[in-house]
Amino acid sequence: MQVDLSDLKKIGKGTILPFELLVYFCEVAVEYIHEQGDIFEDMGDRFTDAYEEVVQILNNEKTPDLFEQYKDRVQAIVNTPGCDCWGIHDSLNGSYSDLKWIDHDKEQDDIANASGVISYAAMSKWLKIPEDIRQKYISNVWCGRCLGATSIKDFTAQLDKYGIALQGICSKCGHQVARVIEK
């Protein structure tokens, strides 16, 4: 027996259950991509469409109550690393940035800054830095194992109280390194 999402919307009309299922689907999909590293393109399209629907439902609410209830989960979906296949991460970031309930100026409160997370606010600030300057930051990181300057690779961007924090690995030895771009 195959059940369509529209059937679940009919069955769960007037409840939060269809929305909960949509969010859960997005969480499972992003975790699968994180673990497997890739998916089929049509699966990625279904996932990003589902996430866009989550954003649309939240934006259609008259109050931020539903967003407040789900904001950590909605942010965690966007902030899961390793979802770059088929442009999924960019699509999720774009949808998330359309949420009317987020305050794009709040850096620490509304954006998850856990290890391994690329935050919207940090990435937004990072991309405002001219490309040539960004390349200088990337290629001038101290490595405690090499005892010298190196390039950082496979890095994530987060905000902390000092500015943008890049965390990744040394391109020479693979040791964990970090670079802070001060405010």
Side-chain angles (χ1 to χ4, degrees), residues 29-39 82 85:
V30 78
E31 189 60 32
Y32 180 84
I33 296 167
H34 174 72
E35 290 174 3
Q36 300 301 316
D38 198 4
I39 58 172
C85 62

Side-chain angles (χ1 to χ4, degrees), residues 3-179:
V3 179
D4 192 275
L5 185 58
S6 59
D7 295 333
L8 292 172
K9 288 179 183 176
K10 291 175 192 172
I11 295 168
K13 189 173 183 176
T15 71
I16 198 167
L17 296 177
F19 182 75
E20 171 66 32
L21 185 60
L22 201 55
V23 172
Y24 181 69
F25 168 77
C26 292
E27 290 171 329
V28 170
V30 78
E31 189 60 32
Y32 180 84
I33 296 167
H34 174 72
E35 290 174 3
Q36 300 301 316
D38 198 4
I39 58 172
F40 293 110
E41 183 177 9
D42 62 331
M43 292 171 65
D45 290 343
R46 287 189 188 111
F47 167 40
T48 56
D49 289 349
Y51 190 79
E52 177 64 29
E53 188 172 347
V54 165
V55 169
Q56 289 174 4
I57 290 169
L58 291 171
N59 281 342
N60 288 335
E61 292 289 305
K62 290 181 174 48
T63 67
D65 295 342
L66 187 61
F67 172 72
E68 289 298 324
Q69 184 178 348
Y70 282 87
K71 75 177 180 180
D72 292 338
R73 292 171 66 187
V74 170
Q75 288 173 352
I77 292 166
V78 172
N79 292 334
T80 302
C83 296
D84 297 322
C85 62
W86 304 111
I88 288 173
H89 190 262
D90 293 338
S91 177
L92 295 175
N93 270 333
S95 295
Y96 182 80
S97 69
D98 289 339
L99 271 167
K100 72 179 184 180
W101 303 113
I102 61 170
D103 179 358
H104 292 288
D105 295 329
K106 287 168 102 179
E107 298 171 347
Q108 301 276 334
D109 295 339
D110 287 341
I111 304 295
N113 282 315
S115 179
V117 171
I118 302 172
S119 79
Y120 173 80
M123 192 53 72
S124 177
K125 287 183 179 231
W126 173 248
L127 293 174
K128 287 179 183 174
I129 299 171
E131 175 68 25
D132 60 321
I133 304 298
R134 288 195 315 247
Q135 289 304 318
K136 288 179 181 177
Y137 284 131
I138 290 170
S139 61
N140 187 16
V141 177
W142 177 261
C143 176
R145 184 179 288 164
C146 295
L147 298 176
T150 186
S151 294
I152 188 172
K153 68 177 189 174
D154 300 328
F155 63 89
T156 60
Q158 302 171 9
L159 289 178
D160 71 9
K161 63 184 178 182
Y162 301 109
I164 302 168
L166 303 180
Q167 296 179 340
I169 58 174
C170 173
S171 63
K172 296 177 185 172
C173 72
H175 187 68
Q176 289 186 347
V177 294
R179 170 73 195 239

